[in-house]
Amino acid sequence: MAASSDRNPPPFPATEEPGAGLSDMADGDSDEGEDIFVSHSDPVAVSRGVSQPDRASEAAPDLFGEEEASSTLAKSNGVHSDDDNDLFSEANMEPSPDKPSSSDRKELPTSSGPCSPSSFTQGPAAMQPTSLEQLEEDEAKDSFDVDVAVTNPEKVGDGMNAYVAYKVSTRTSLPMFRSKAFTTRRRYSDFLGLYEKLSVKQSLLGCIIPPPPEKSVVGMTKVKVGMDDPSSVEFVERRRAALERYLQRIVAHPLLLQDPDVREFLEREDLPRAVNTQALSGAGFLKMINKASDAVNKMTIKMNESDTWFEDKFQEVENEEQQLRKLHAVVDSLVNHRKELCGNTAVFAKSMAMLGNSEDNTALSRALSQLAEVEDKMEQLHQEQAASDFFIFEEMLADYIRLLGAMRGCFDQRMRAWQRWQEAQGTLQKKREAEAKLLWANKPDKLQQAKEDITEWESRVTQYERDFDRIGMTVRKEVLRFEKEKAKDFKSQIIKYLEAMLQSQQRLIKFWEAFLPEAKAIA
Amino acid sequence: MMEEVKEVTSILSVHGQNVKVTEVLKDGDTLTFLIVSQKLSGTGEYHVDRTYDDFEWLQQHLFSQDDEPGIQGVIFPPLPAKAQVNASAKVVKQLGFLALGEWQPYCKALEIFLRQIATHSILSRNKAVEIFLTSSEPPGRQRVRKNIFNRLSQAVEGMRKEGHKDVDEFFQTERDHNLVLTGYTKTAAERFLDVVLTEQKIAVACGHFSAALRLCVEAGEDPDKQAFSKACVKLSELFESMKKNITSVAENNVNTLGLGLDLESRYQEAEKEMLFRRTCKLVELETARRNAERAKPVKKAAMEEVKKATETEFKHICGVAKQEISRFQGARVEMLQQALVQWCEKQLLTARQNADQFNQHLQVFRGMA
């Protein structure tokens, strides 16, 4: 499944001349734009509406070539190296302020939707996020070389110390993993632990870390008591599906996939027990994000945005979160009514069965009994529809609400980076003033120290400025990636839903067709 | 102002089997029903308007046909409970299916009531029926004298007499069977109503989802935003059509099987009442026989008279009752069959239409970039 052998060589900058106009041409229908590049990229990419790397023209050709040659090498460290980021900074200074979104989109690495484990192949160069162009190239194949699945929930142990272990299976052709297919068992706190580790590392860089499903004391207590009753079964299934989506989103993220903790989570036989996961209860998670927001609000120096992109986006994110919450509530109500319908239908079916049994007229009795059976089958359909509504829409909306929360966290991280930079500048200023004072007061012995301080803080200021720029860039990238994922995700879930509904409907038609002759046979 | 209706029988001058309740008009708090009947001779029609009180007037007249032998053996077509504009919760519950669908099922129930009366060999001869269907004036609203079918007294005595053992195996079986069926039918009707009400709730929720999705549309040239917005719009349309579909499903349920179960339930109750009247008469007969036996010579002749009269009445009632039961059994099977067939055909049609809709939507989504 290694794509490298199939890969077409990336287009040389000279031949790639689409210019910024291309995305305009694409006109919302990315297939149009793709056709032009069909010779350069994997046909699979065409249907995915992936952006084309026209930034390549700005990249130094040797870097490009260098990246290509080393594309098959595994790089274990997922963190950007500074050199490459400097290159990015230059490259990214160019997007015109009035069209930030469309030009940024071209830099966007994309990957397939997290909801369905896809079997697309991802070029090995995806392992080198240091080259943005390279990323685009390989994402242009829109291949995805890691499949994860979370299955087989099993209760381990007894009583209040019992827990549920899930089978985590990975299929991959990426060389960075030890083998092509492997499984391991993990419990919920392991997933939380992974999230915690990633948050600490990656959010500093502005990545959106997909949040895992929330803790539920009520849910788990029921499971500990016994896994057989319907509400426990539903709880475990819901959690299993959420954990699967969580992992799929993580491995779909090119940066996170590089993280050794992720690899360890997927591969390692025995994982040390994660501690400190108390902070990550449902409420705790939100608290964490809000704490970050509060810290930002308490900032005395107001940030002066060089372009309004971040402010606008933040506002959009907040609005969107509100809308999704509303949608979620409405879908929840729909799901509950469907469940109610299941119950009503079952009860009605029973009452018709009783009626059929008591009926003297044979043909009528038979028809009534058949009716009861039809209603039983319809109850089954209603169950499936409720599950569809729930798992396809409600859970997806819940995921995105959490993701938007994580995104807000990223924006906050950027603000904090800015704050650090500003504070460092303030400190530098003070050091300079101190030096001036010393010069004036003519204290040469302390001067040396002062000069050393200044040097130190100058380099810090530079570092923090660089960090701030880098995080800003990452946040931009992440936001655009998120929007792309969201549009794709949404669409593919809707199609899934429609397919399920159509199937249900066709089964319903068969039930009615079978019943009609029975009804006619009565007289 | 109508003259007092004399209990004179006549032949009905209209076709009983296609009396129609064509419309219902709201006049403040009152509901008025338009009834159309075809003349037997020629091609004319009678158009009359009646309120619920007029229906009750008719029913009272039918109940008070004292001179008709064995009238107590008749299974009287059941009149639905009174419909009200802005009905209270209690009334709505009592009406069940008939309270739904903007009174359309209710009109249908009234129509069936009139048809059953107008085609009944005994009842159709009551002049009140002719007046009700043909007179342009509304029938008089005078209180008819108290009749033998006072339900209150029945309820009080019911406990004692209902279980009274029968002398005739045919009737004992019928009573037992009726008891069982009445209970089950009522339950089935109530549960089906629950199904329909939940379907209506689902329709409302689909509408809300559709509306909320429209609010998610985002302006902007960003292709991803446009893609997402377009998906929201299309999904909103999908849920709008899902709302229509489930509303249809609920309507089909009400108009066919719902109405059928409601009618069956009320008709079983009517049979129950008839059987009870007969049982009461049986108890009366047994009492009369005992009295005649034990009477002192002075009273003996009088008691014998009473006994003989009661015996004759009872015999007439049993005769009519047997006929009615046989007719009833045939009619109810036919009615239920019709209801089931119509229900199935309508739901099948709706399901096919819905599948087509889903298919179309699916094509649209698949074709979207």
Side-chain angles (χ1 to χ4, degrees):
Chain A
M1 224 161 100
S4 49
S5 47
D6 303 327
R7 248 189 66 202
N8 296 319
F12 284 108
T15 54
E16 220 175 4
E17 285 306 330
L22 185 63
S23 72
D24 304 329
M25 242 174 78
D27 200 17
D29 175 4
S30 33
D31 275 338
E32 235 181 355
E34 294 318 318
D35 290 343
I36 297 181
F37 290 99
V38 101
S39 53
H40 298 303
S41 53
D42 192 287
V44 167
V46 174
S47 60
R48 286 304 203 130
V50 169
S51 62
Q52 286 304 310
D54 67 344
R55 282 278 162 243
S57 44
E58 274 120 352
D62 51 331
L63 177 75
F64 207 79
E66 189 191 323
E67 289 301 346
E68 211 215 316
S70 53
S71 65
T72 49
L73 288 179
K75 276 212 182 154
S76 54
N77 187 352
V79 180
H80 288 168
S81 70
D82 279 355
D83 296 321
D84 297 315
N85 285 325
D86 285 345
L87 184 70
F88 292 155
S89 323
E90 285 155 31
N92 283 330
M93 282 316 158
E94 292 176 64
S96 52
D98 50 339
K99 255 195 176 176
S101 46
S102 52
S103 48
D104 278 339
R105 191 177 90 86
K106 295 186 192 81
E107 302 161 348
L108 190 61
T110 59
S111 58
S112 54
C115 35
S116 44
S118 59
S119 50
F120 296 124
T121 51
Q122 189 177 45
M127 298 169 354
Q128 299 171 33
T130 49
S131 162
L132 198 46
E133 292 79 2
Q134 199 66 10
L135 255 177
E136 293 166 27
E137 240 313 288
D138 301 305
E139 292 307 338
K141 305 181 108 27
D142 204 49
S143 43
F144 186 48
D145 207 16
V146 186
D147 283 347
V148 280
V150 175
T151 53
N152 301 68
E154 269 172 15
K155 186 166 156 195
V156 175
D158 272 318
M160 291 318 278
N161 289 326
Y163 62 92
V164 177
Y166 302 87
K167 181 165 135 190
V168 176
S169 320
T170 316
R171 258 188 324 142
T172 178
S173 66
L174 294 180
M176 76 177 182
F177 288 101
R178 267 183 257 143
S179 58
K180 292 221 183 307
F182 45 90
T183 71
T184 180
R185 296 194 74 75
R186 296 282 179 253
R187 53 186 290 186
Y188 175 70
S189 55
D190 294 332
F191 290 81
L192 277 192
L194 174 65
Y195 176 72
E196 172 136 296
K197 288 185 195 147
L198 288 177
S199 299
V200 164
K201 276 188 273 178
Q202 298 283 3
S203 59
L204 289 176
L205 302 176
C207 279
I208 301 174
I209 320 282
E214 287 97 0
K215 276 190 180 187
S216 164
V217 175
V218 174
M220 271 320 286
T221 311
K222 268 197 244 172
V223 170
K224 285 180 197 200
V225 167
M227 258 176 75
D228 296 328
D229 65 286
S231 64
S232 285
V233 168
E234 197 182 301
F235 172 77
V236 171
E237 171 56 24
R238 188 178 166 184
R239 177 169 273 194
R240 180 210 65 79
L243 290 174
E244 188 173 83
R245 291 193 306 274
Y246 164 66
L247 280 188
Q248 284 169 345
R249 286 199 171 100
I250 288 181
V251 299
H253 195 301
L255 294 177
L256 295 179
L257 182 59
Q258 300 308 307
D259 193 305
D261 281 324
V262 171
R263 216 174 322 132
E264 189 184 66
F265 180 89
L266 294 174
E267 278 185 327
R268 192 163 157 181
E269 204 41 52
D270 285 309
L271 213 56
R273 261 303 290 281
V275 294
N276 293 334
T277 54
Q278 291 96 318
L280 297 175
S281 63
F285 175 69
L286 272 175
K287 232 193 291 181
M288 196 172 74
I289 295 189
N290 289 333
K291 230 189 340 183
S293 297
D294 287 341
V296 166
N297 288 337
K298 290 200 182 87
M299 264 164 51
T300 47
I301 319 162
K302 232 4 186 154
M303 185 163 177
N304 191 8
E305 290 283 3
S306 50
D307 70 78
T308 52
W309 190 90
F310 286 96
E311 257 174 42
D312 292 343
K313 272 294 170 216
F314 190 72
Q315 192 57 50
E316 275 176 32
V317 166
E318 284 195 326
N319 291 345
E320 188 164 356
E321 204 177 319
Q322 290 292 49
Q323 284 171 345
L324 290 187
R325 279 186 197 280
K326 173 101 201 280
L327 285 179
H328 183 270
V330 170
V331 173
D332 192 48
S333 157
L334 176 62
V335 169
N336 285 338
H337 289 319
R338 283 225 205 264
K339 285 185 178 162
E340 204 186 316
L341 186 59
C342 284
N344 290 344
T345 309
V347 158
F348 172 61
K350 280 198 186 65
S351 69
M352 286 316 279
M354 302 275 267
L355 202 53
N357 281 344
S358 318
E359 181 56 52
D360 271 347
N361 182 305
T362 333
L364 183 58
S365 168
R366 218 179 102 116
L368 292 176
S369 303
Q370 293 283 37
L371 199 169
E373 274 178 36
V374 168
E375 289 292 319
D376 263 335
K377 287 183 190 147
M378 276 172 57
E379 189 218 339
Q380 185 62 27
L381 280 186
H382 294 317
Q383 289 265 34
E384 287 166 16
Q385 277 181 345
S388 272
D389 287 342
F390 182 70
F391 283 104
I392 294 179
F393 285 125
E394 192 170 340
E395 288 284 80
M396 176 178 75
L397 289 168
D399 282 353
Y400 275 93
I401 290 170
R402 277 196 293 265
L403 282 168
L404 285 172
M407 208 201 285
R408 272 194 294 129
C410 290
F411 277 85
D412 289 341
Q413 292 292 348
R414 178 177 168 270
M415 295 290 257
R416 279 171 153 189
W418 183 83
Q419 192 181 15
R420 260 196 307 273
W421 174 32
Q422 296 300 310
E423 283 171 0
Q425 279 186 327
T427 312
L428 178 61
Q429 184 64 18
K430 287 203 188 88
K431 297 289 180 193
R432 285 197 173 131
E433 283 166 11
E435 187 202 32
K437 279 208 189 97
L438 286 176
L439 275 171
W440 185 253
N442 202 8
K443 289 199 183 138
D445 45 332
K446 292 196 178 154
L447 210 54
Q448 182 58 29
Q449 180 63 43
K451 284 205 193 299
E452 279 173 14
D453 279 353
I454 288 175
T455 315
E456 185 199 331
W457 279 95
E458 273 173 349
S459 81
R460 279 204 197 179
V461 166
T462 314
Q463 176 66 44
Y464 290 162
E465 182 179 2
R466 213 181 271 172
D467 285 347
F468 172 68
D469 285 339
R470 189 204 311 148
I471 198 177
M473 211 190 60
T474 306
V475 170
R476 261 193 210 252
K477 234 181 7 156
E478 287 286 275
V479 165
L480 296 172
R481 179 175 173 270
F482 172 82
E483 281 173 3
K484 202 172 206 73
E485 284 307 302
K486 188 183 78 176
K488 240 188 327 192
D489 214 353
F490 210 59
K491 184 187 153 199
S492 80
Q493 289 294 70
I494 294 174
I495 288 179
K496 205 161 123 184
Y497 184 75
L498 268 171
E499 285 170 349
M501 295 298 271
L502 190 53
Q503 226 190 25
S504 270
Q505 202 63 20
Q506 280 160 349
R507 279 166 62 199
L508 183 63
I509 289 174
K510 289 213 163 47
F511 295 156
W512 289 125
E513 283 173 346
F515 180 69
L516 190 55
E518 293 290 337
K520 287 188 167 159
I522 295 174
Chain B
M1 185 44 197
M2 283 299 308
E3 51 185 88
E4 170 102 17
V5 176
K6 302 188 190 72
E7 304 304 331
V8 167
T9 58
S10 62
I11 309 288
L12 196 56
S13 70
V14 299
H15 287 282
Q17 71 274 22
N18 49 24
V19 173
K20 286 189 182 51
V21 175
T22 55
E23 248 184 279
V24 55
L25 304 171
K26 269 184 245 177
D27 181 17
D29 269 352
T30 348
L31 292 170
T32 308
F33 303 92
L34 297 185
I35 302 166
V36 176
S37 324
Q38 310 291 325
K39 287 189 183 169
L40 267 182
S41 56
T43 54
E45 285 182 346
Y46 287 104
H47 290 241
V48 298
D49 56 75
R50 300 284 180 253
T51 62
Y52 187 82
D53 289 345
D54 298 327
F55 279 86
E56 272 192 325
W57 173 91
L58 173 61
Q59 197 182 42
Q60 293 298 320
H61 272 279
L62 296 175
F63 285 163
S64 48
Q65 274 178 251
D66 292 344
D67 48 352
E68 179 74 38
I71 187 77
Q72 293 190 53
V74 168
I75 301 176
F76 285 84
L79 178 64
K82 182 168 181 174
Q84 289 164 10
V85 180
N86 303 323
S88 68
K90 187 166 154 227
V91 170
V92 167
K93 192 164 190 292
Q94 189 185 29
L95 286 173
F97 283 102
L98 303 185
L100 303 177
E102 296 289 319
W103 305 119
Q104 291 313 308
Y106 191 83
C107 287
K108 199 90 188 103
L110 288 180
E111 187 178 283
I112 292 170
F113 169 72
L114 290 176
R115 285 184 185 184
Q116 284 166 343
I117 289 175
T119 53
H120 194 286
S121 50
I122 300 172
L123 299 178
S124 65
R125 294 193 308 235
N126 190 312
K127 194 138 168 83
V129 182
E130 174 77 18
I131 294 168
F132 182 92
L133 289 176
T134 63
S135 165
S136 51
E137 295 285 320
R141 305 279 162 84
Q142 330 90 307
R143 212 65 195 96
V144 182
R145 68 179 184 284
K146 202 164 164 197
N147 58 64
I148 48 180
F149 303 117
N150 188 317
R151 293 192 184 173
L152 190 57
S153 66
Q154 276 186 359
V156 167
E157 301 188 349
M159 304 310 271
R160 276 191 298 128
K161 293 182 186 168
E162 194 155 23
H164 188 92
K165 198 155 177 341
D166 212 301
V167 296
D168 184 330
E169 196 188 316
F170 170 79
F171 280 103
Q172 184 64 61
T173 313
E174 190 66 21
R175 279 162 64 189
D176 294 337
H177 199 231
N178 169 272
L179 190 61
V180 165
L181 276 186
T182 319
Y184 287 157
T185 312
K186 187 150 183 275
T187 306
E190 283 169 357
R191 295 201 172 152
F192 197 49
L193 183 61
D194 286 338
V195 168
V196 168
L197 292 176
T198 309
E199 283 169 345
Q200 288 178 339
K201 285 188 214 165
I202 291 176
V204 168
C206 285
H208 285 160
F209 191 41
S210 175
L213 280 167
R214 281 195 290 274
L215 295 176
C216 288
V217 172
E218 293 162 339
E221 294 168 3
D222 180 63
D224 291 318
K225 277 212 191 301
Q226 283 186 344
F228 182 72
S229 294
K230 195 166 168 196
C232 283
V233 167
K234 290 292 164 202
L235 188 62
S236 169
E237 286 171 13
L238 170 66
F239 269 85
E240 195 58 42
S241 78
M242 275 171 63
K243 175 185 175 180
K244 288 202 182 84
N245 164 257
I246 200 157
T247 306
S248 278
V249 167
E251 272 172 12
N252 293 345
N253 281 341
V254 170
N255 295 333
T256 57
L257 185 59
L259 195 55
L261 285 174
D262 172 82
L263 192 65
E264 166 75 357
S265 174
R266 286 184 296 116
Y267 231 129
Q268 292 284 357
E269 288 284 346
E271 192 200 14
K272 187 176 180 183
E273 279 168 21
M274 181 280 279
L275 291 169
F276 179 69
R277 288 192 296 270
R278 181 190 156 278
T279 308
C280 288
K281 189 56 88 176
L282 175 62
V283 171
E284 196 185 311
L285 178 57
E286 288 174 354
T287 311
R289 282 189 179 140
R290 267 202 308 277
N291 290 346
E293 237 178 273
R294 297 175 195 160
K296 297 200 176 96
V298 173
K299 292 266 170 96
K300 194 117 178 149
M303 288 293 111
E304 282 292 323
E305 278 298 312
V306 170
K307 185 187 97 174
K308 280 219 175 65
T310 315
E311 267 172 2
T312 315
E313 279 167 16
F314 186 69
K315 204 175 83 177
H316 280 144
I317 289 174
C318 289
V320 170
K322 274 209 168 103
Q323 276 177 359
E324 286 283 280
I325 287 169
S326 151
R327 198 181 57 89
F328 168 65
Q329 292 301 343
R332 67 176 276 274
V333 170
E334 195 186 314
M335 186 275 294
L336 282 174
Q337 192 240 16
Q338 251 185 18
L340 288 172
V341 169
Q342 274 180 1
W343 180 59
C344 186
E345 283 174 344
K346 281 202 164 133
Q347 296 293 34
L348 187 50
L349 183 63
T350 302
R352 284 185 178 141
Q353 284 171 346
N354 202 29
D356 281 339
Q357 287 267 324
F358 281 151
N359 218 352
Q360 276 175 21
H361 278 109
L362 188 55
Q363 297 317 315
V364 165
F365 273 104
R366 281 189 178 144
M368 264 165 64

